[in-house]
Amino acid sequence: MTGPAAPAATPSVAAREITKRFGPLVANDRVSVAAYPGQILAIVGENGAGKSTLMNVLSGLLQPDGGEILRDGRPIRFHSPRDAIRAGIGMVHQHFMLIPVFTVAENVVLGTEPVSSGLFDKRRAREVVRRLSDQYGLKLNPDDRVQNLPVGLQQRVEILKILYRQSEILIFDEPTAVLTPQETEELFVVLRDLAKKGKTIIFITHKLKEVMAISDQVTVLRLGKVVANLTTAETNPVEITRHMIGRDVMPSVEKQTVGGADTVLEVRDLHCQSDRGVEALRGVSFHVDAGEILGIAGVEGNGQSELVEALTGLRSVVSGEILLRDRKGKRRALVHRTPKQIRRMGVSFIPEDRRERGLILTYSVADNLIFGVEDTAPFSRRGVLDPGRIMANARKLIPEFDIRPPRPDAPVGTLSGGNQQKVVLAREFSENPSLLIASQPTRGLDVGAAEFVHKGLIEKREQGVAILLVSAELDEVMALADRIAVIYEGQVMGVFRAGSVDEGRLGLLMTGGEARAEEIAIDLTAPALEATEGG
Amino acid sequence: MIDTTQATSPSPPAALPEAGRSPWYTALGQLGVPLMAILLALIIGGIVMGVALKSFTAPLTGYWDLLVGAFGTPYDVEETLVASIPLIFAAFAVAFAFRGGLFNIGAEGQLYAGAMAATAVGITFTWPGWVLLPACVLAATLAGALWAAVPGLLKAYRGAHEVITTMMLNYVALNLMHYMLINSITGTPGPLEGPLAGNPVSRGVNATFPVIVPGWLVANARLNAAFLLALVCGVIFWFILFRTTLGYAIRATGFNIKAARYAGINVNRTILLTMLISGAFAGLAGVSYVCGVGGQLQDTFDNFTFGFDAIAVALLGKNSAIGAILAAILFGALDHGGINMQATAGIDTHIISIIQGLIIFFVGAEALVRFLSHRGYSVMRFRTARPEADVPAERAAV
């Protein structure tokens, strides 16, 4: 372990030998970290490394079993988040705690409202919020309703909330998980500005790019212990990764070309509405071949969810065609089919939110592994489940996909995010699909688990499965996809062979910065109808 | 925890303290909250008794009389079970719907529907008992299911909230039952009304559940085969939920409707079937009384409020078959033992309602009970699943 390479000043907040146990699990094992005013400290580690536990200790949500917290060098005890706030420590959580129908000002002051003669002083609230917003360059209008704000601005409301409570130390729990690349950039500007004004920033992440871009110091956690304290300027992503997962990451995934394949999925001029009745897909056309990964790149909310739902039968199609070549080589229309029918035709689906859609958290691993095929042989006969077969299936898949803990009867909700995703993968892969739709398959996963998912996708591709990969992570799309389709406001802006286009260009297309021009969309090697028409 | 690496990197300890615990421990943990709730309710009920009667010994003698009254003699045990029969069925109805994510507070109405159907069949036909009784049971089952089908259809295909629709149908069923026994608009006899004019009871049904307690043990015993039917239904309840694909779909829909839809489960059909089965159980509660100790349909049937008490029983029983049976027997014991308590100790049976209410309160206030248990005040240390290490952050953030 390297000693903290930090300036000589007193840390504004420090954890000293913090230990926190959950039953037999030691989530934090004598963890020490120090954060200094005017600096940005990144805390990195895989899921389950103990980052969140540590932050919850620092923000008063959890009480440590051992060790102490120092605030400006003095020991301090928190019994609740309220104590931590009083001590000037505020946390911006991954999931916002905002009231959608309230205005920015109302949200910010909620709980400590300015009062005049016993009544809520709205005017003063507005003034305070406006002043704070200007002071830190947050560019928020106190009178906007939070529900009308994009995610990036909602996050700023959260920041404003803790600034309003006079926090000197701001903890961010994976703040970029919900942001677009542009919003991330803007957040970084805000963070640097806050640091410049003397605030202490603690930034939890597992994205190394962000660590390198924003932090001054890095503390790496692994399995509940601090394994390294590094100065960002003196380290590099490879070194950090080695500390994080205890080994080197495989070089970028190797792909072999699978040639001469048939078109498995063809989408023609698809139109769909969003939940709010707005046209979410405006004439989308593309195709996916067997043994190919087509990546859909785009900022979230540009029709990706609707596209995936339309393909899987969860959303009704206004017009257009979806054609699938099923396992027997027959072409079949997917429009107006139920999700079950589409599944039976050989379409597997990794949903973007595994906890919401992919799994029943109270069900055991074994039961989740048959979710969607529970009414087929051999798992049931004439409507009666066969527990023996269900268990046997789990015992086969658990080692194959390295699901931990390897217990078929463990409720899936008790598994870590990465292992939950492995359960989804195990199930969807074992259905032997001809088309696999993977929607944000690595969201919220750490490096190791993401690598596992990527390997799995590549393996399926080599087996000749057609894969549609929808991801907000441009890096992921660029690393995996054979062809990349950019989606913006419900239209395909262009389809590119991987390697023929750089990140900057894709970024421009993703944000509408470059008009959808006919010539860029033509992919001469593509066998079928491309996305040059429609819309 | 993720570990996709070689065997050299140490596997982290299981995130769950529960992992590896025996099923008995889990079962005990399940019992924790209901037992604590009952204990707390009895303590507070005791305080109420003591204060009301201005006596320190009143709670002790009261509870003693309650216990003796409920279980003191074979006759009392038998009567306690008799009192629990309709509650068991009705609690199955509520619990089954709960498992499917539906709050069926219309068990009361479905129970009337079942009772009316059983009465209609039971007084119309004069077939031998071994034909007529199953016919009554079948009629009640179907009637309960049909009564529940209305809110089921409305929920599944029109999104109408089942709490509203089932509750409203309770009133419809109640007034339909009154009409069946006395037509208050024209003053003429109702379709099911017996021969005594103006007396709102039906004729006695021609088939009843046979008594299952031998005469040498309890003279004039009333415990009948409906109790056995209830136990069989408990097995059916468990089998449907945990051993059939339908049950799999019902629980999946109940826990996470989005995921169920994504997996291809026809959630609308599942919701409808959940209500049908729930209603069938409630219908059985109706026949268990009409062809059981009731022997006829009475205008005052609604005084029992079996369907409403069943919500409490189902909650106390944690929506499981065994739990519902045990909780129903407890409520039966309180009801039957309360009579003795009033007669012997002079404590009004309303105290029973207070205790029952308190039990529900504490079951509902599970968080409070859990807090007290963790503080070490509990008679039994129990724990519910401890979330993985990273979960508290999410919890707190939501």
Side-chain angles (χ1 to χ4, degrees):
Chain A
M1 200 202 281
T2 25
T10 321
S12 49
V13 66
R16 190 191 281 163
E17 306 258 303
I18 291 285
T19 297
K20 179 70 193 173
R21 293 187 198 85
F22 295 106
L25 171 75
V26 185
N28 279 175
D29 187 0
R30 282 170 288 134
V31 169
S32 298
V33 292
Y36 295 86
Q39 287 211 339
I40 300 178
L41 169 69
I43 297 197
V44 297
E46 298 201 286
N47 282 348
K51 298 174 304 225
S52 297
T53 305
L54 179 62
M55 289 311 115
N56 287 332
V57 167
L58 284 181
S59 62
L61 269 170
L62 294 173
Q63 277 73 49
D65 299 321
E68 59 182 355
I69 299 166
L70 303 177
R71 174 83 173 88
D72 285 334
R74 282 185 304 275
I76 188 166
R77 281 191 77 86
F78 301 142
H79 300 285
S80 73
R82 204 172 272 252
D83 293 348
I85 290 166
R86 221 171 277 142
I89 300 178
M91 183 149 170
V92 173
H93 292 277
Q94 230 182 90
H95 308 272
F96 306 148
M97 294 180 281
L98 298 171
I99 299 180
V101 294
F102 277 17
T103 65
V104 170
E106 286 166 344
N107 266 293
V108 168
V109 301
L110 187 66
T112 39
E113 301 89 349
V115 172
S116 70
S117 51
L119 294 171
F120 172 43
D121 188 346
K122 205 164 182 174
R123 210 165 46 102
R124 211 164 81 209
R126 273 212 301 269
E127 273 163 24
V128 173
V129 169
R130 175 162 293 132
R131 204 186 56 219
L132 272 175
S133 166
D134 290 348
Q135 191 182 339
Y136 292 99
L138 295 175
K139 296 179 195 141
L140 283 168
N141 176 5
D143 297 322
D144 282 343
R145 264 180 217 294
V146 160
Q147 61 190 1
N148 301 330
L149 295 179
V151 175
L153 290 186
Q154 291 189 10
Q155 188 173 51
R156 291 182 182 196
V157 180
E158 287 283 2
I159 298 174
L160 208 50
K161 261 168 75 176
I162 57 177
L163 288 173
Y164 174 77
R165 284 159 183 76
Q166 287 157 8
S167 294
E168 286 303 314
I169 296 138
L170 288 78
I171 303 175
F172 292 83
D173 188 5
E174 308 217 357
T176 60
V178 289
L179 300 183
T180 66
Q182 280 73 17
E183 286 174 328
T184 302
E185 264 315 305
E186 288 165 18
L187 171 70
F188 284 1
V189 172
V190 170
L191 292 186
R192 286 196 198 98
D193 195 46
L194 284 167
K196 210 178 291 163
K197 292 198 164 92
K199 304 280 186 196
T200 307
I201 311 281
I202 301 178
F203 187 97
I204 304 169
T205 186
H206 51 241
K207 293 182 187 163
L208 297 181
K209 228 162 118 184
E210 297 174 356
V211 174
M212 300 310 293
I214 186 88
S215 69
D216 299 305
Q217 302 286 325
V218 190
T219 295
V220 186
L221 291 180
R222 176 153 52 94
L223 301 175
K225 290 193 175 111
V226 173
V227 289
N229 285 305
L230 308 161
T231 301
T232 312
E234 294 161 11
T235 186
N236 56 61
V238 177
E239 188 187 359
I240 299 175
T241 311
R242 198 180 314 123
H243 286 303
M244 263 170 78
I245 63 179
R247 66 178 167 90
D248 288 315
V249 195
M250 306 294 149
S252 58
V253 260
E254 284 297 318
K255 288 188 300 190
Q256 284 158 21
T257 334
V258 186
D262 304 307
T263 298
V264 173
L265 175 74
E266 191 166 356
V267 176
R268 287 188 195 153
D269 196 22
L270 191 67
H271 288 260
C272 255
Q273 290 192 330
S274 73
D275 289 336
R276 284 182 287 172
V278 184
E279 192 165 35
L281 294 181
R282 302 185 292 156
V284 166
S285 303
F286 62 84
H287 70 94
V288 191
D289 292 343
E292 164 186 72
I293 299 180
L294 175 70
I296 304 268
V299 177
E300 266 177 77
N302 276 288
Q304 294 97 318
S305 308
E306 286 82 1
L307 173 64
V308 164
E309 286 173 6
L311 293 177
T312 49
L314 291 163
R315 181 172 293 275
S316 57
V317 168
V318 175
S319 70
E321 272 186 282
I322 306 171
L323 294 169
L324 175 81
R325 208 176 60 99
D326 68 8
R327 291 191 194 97
K328 290 180 200 123
K330 260 174 50 187
R331 281 178 89 70
R332 309 180 62 169
L334 295 193
V335 176
H336 306 312
R337 301 254 186 205
T338 65
K340 185 141 277 183
Q341 288 170 328
I342 291 173
R343 242 167 211 286
R344 297 280 181 273
M345 286 179 210
V347 179
S348 277
F349 175 32
I350 301 168
E352 61 183 66
D353 190 337
R354 57 189 161 268
R355 295 169 72 89
E356 272 286 300
R357 284 209 160 149
L359 300 163
I360 300 286
L361 297 179
T362 51
Y363 278 17
S364 67
V365 169
D367 280 351
N368 270 291
L369 284 170
I370 61 156
F371 193 34
V373 289
E374 76 280 355
D375 55 351
T376 55
F379 304 121
S380 66
R381 264 210 209 153
R382 293 202 192 97
V384 179
L385 296 170
D386 184 338
R389 295 293 178 91
I390 294 168
M391 280 311 242
N393 177 58
R395 286 209 190 87
K396 181 168 83 74
L397 291 177
I398 285 172
E400 212 173 291
F401 286 82
D402 190 33
I403 295 164
R404 295 176 191 215
R407 289 163 24 95
D409 56 337
V412 146
T414 64
L415 269 55
S416 70
N419 280 298
Q420 289 180 356
Q421 189 70 330
K422 286 182 193 170
V423 173
V424 174
L425 288 187
R427 178 182 71 215
E428 300 299 328
F429 283 3
S430 64
E431 282 173 36
N432 191 19
S434 51
L435 171 68
L436 177 68
I437 299 169
S439 190
Q440 320 287 3
T442 58
R443 170 170 297 167
L445 299 188
D446 54 58
V447 185
E451 194 185 336
F452 186 93
V453 172
H454 288 165
K455 270 191 199 151
L457 291 176
I458 296 288
E459 205 180 294
K460 279 286 146 188
R461 171 186 172 275
E462 272 156 24
Q463 290 167 15
V465 178
I467 298 174
L468 182 71
L469 169 70
V470 179
S471 177
E473 306 269 348
L474 201 49
D475 296 345
E476 179 170 78
V477 173
M478 291 185 72
L480 291 179
D482 298 287
R483 288 184 303 134
I484 300 168
V486 181
I487 192 167
Y488 174 68
E489 293 196 335
Q491 287 183 309
V492 173
M493 305 299 283
V495 183
F496 306 91
R497 204 147 275 286
S500 74
V501 62
D502 64 2
E503 205 172 337
R505 178 85 181 285
L506 291 176
L508 271 176
L509 284 163
M510 278 163 64
T511 50
E514 184 178 324
R516 173 164 160 268
E518 298 302 309
E519 75 269 22
I520 60 165
I522 297 169
D523 183 350
L524 294 172
T525 52
L529 198 64
E530 272 301 347
T532 46
E533 55 222 62
Chain B
M1 292 264 174
I2 305 305
D3 207 324
T4 52
T5 57
Q6 308 80 357
T8 47
S9 60
S11 163
L16 248 199
E18 247 62 17
R21 286 260 165 77
S22 75
W24 282 110
Y25 186 89
T26 320
L28 233 54
Q30 288 278 310
L31 272 174
V33 170
L35 286 185
M36 279 295 287
I38 293 166
L39 191 72
L40 285 172
L42 289 176
I43 290 169
I44 296 180
I47 294 170
V48 172
M49 273 191 243
V51 170
L53 297 174
K54 296 190 183 64
S55 148
F56 286 110
T57 52
L60 294 176
T61 54
Y63 281 137
W64 178 251
D65 292 331
L66 181 67
L67 191 66
V68 169
F71 299 108
T73 66
Y75 167 78
D76 290 318
V77 173
E78 179 258 359
E79 281 301 305
T80 288
L81 294 180
V82 164
S84 72
I85 293 171
L87 275 177
I88 296 175
F89 286 109
F92 286 164
V94 178
F96 195 87
F98 264 134
R99 291 281 188 170
L102 299 171
F103 192 10
N104 177 15
I105 57 173
E108 183 81 3
Q110 293 141 24
L111 186 154
Y112 296 153
M116 284 185 274
T119 309
V121 173
I123 62 173
T124 307
F125 302 104
T126 49
W127 305 329
W130 60 272
V131 181
L132 185 54
L133 185 63
C136 290
V137 170
L138 190 66
T141 311
L142 291 177
L146 276 177
W147 205 256
V150 178
L153 284 166
L154 288 173
K155 169 82 176 184
Y157 299 100
R158 280 290 169 268
H161 203 288
E162 77 280 2
V163 166
I164 308 293
T165 50
T166 54
M167 185 166 63
M168 290 305 155
L169 278 171
N170 281 344
Y171 295 109
V172 178
L174 177 65
N175 286 304
L176 185 64
M177 186 178 76
H178 288 326
Y179 163 79
M180 286 290 169
L181 296 176
I182 182 159
N183 185 340
S184 51
I185 301 168
T186 58
T188 50
L192 295 179
E193 193 171 339
L196 267 170
N199 187 13
V201 295
S202 77
R203 216 177 306 139
V205 288
N206 296 326
T208 52
F209 287 103
V211 170
I212 54 170
V213 179
W216 54 262
L217 187 62
V218 179
N220 301 322
R222 301 197 300 162
L223 183 65
N224 54 60
F227 184 72
L228 301 181
L229 183 63
L231 299 183
V232 172
C233 280
V235 177
I236 294 172
F237 177 101
W238 169 85
F239 186 82
I240 294 177
L241 274 181
F242 296 98
R243 281 291 179 272
T244 67
T245 54
L246 175 65
Y248 185 100
I250 286 172
R251 289 180 296 128
T253 306
F255 184 76
N256 185 342
I257 194 163
K258 270 190 184 172
R261 205 172 273 139
Y262 141 81
I265 290 170
N266 185 341
V267 294
N268 293 342
R269 182 171 152 267
T270 306
I271 287 170
L272 178 59
L273 284 171
T274 307
M275 278 309 283
L276 285 178
I277 296 170
S278 170
F281 281 128
L284 284 169
V287 69
S288 78
Y289 184 79
V290 168
C291 296
V293 291
Q296 59 182 184
L297 188 64
Q298 306 144 354
D299 192 38
T300 53
F301 192 39
D302 54 299
N303 290 349
F304 294 119
T305 63
F306 291 127
F308 294 119
D309 293 352
I311 298 169
V313 172
L315 275 177
L316 186 61
K318 294 226 145 188
N319 301 320
S320 75
I322 293 180
I325 292 170
L326 292 177
I329 292 175
L330 173 75
F331 271 53
L334 288 172
D335 281 337
H336 176 65
I339 300 169
N340 187 52
M341 185 177 78
Q342 180 164 11
T344 317
I347 297 166
D348 195 277
T349 49
H350 282 114
I351 193 72
I352 296 300
S353 308
I354 292 176
I355 292 168
Q356 288 176 345
L358 284 167
I359 291 174
I360 303 321
F361 176 81
F362 286 118
V363 169
E366 194 174 322
L368 174 72
V369 176
R370 189 175 290 158
F371 172 78
L372 291 176
S373 311
H374 276 280
R375 276 302 178 90
Y377 299 128
S378 106
V379 283
M380 178 194 299
R381 293 279 301 173
F382 76 95
R383 278 207 169 152
T384 48
R386 170 72 81 172
E388 63 182 287
D390 276 336
V391 163
E394 281 180 41
R395 280 263 180 85
V398 172

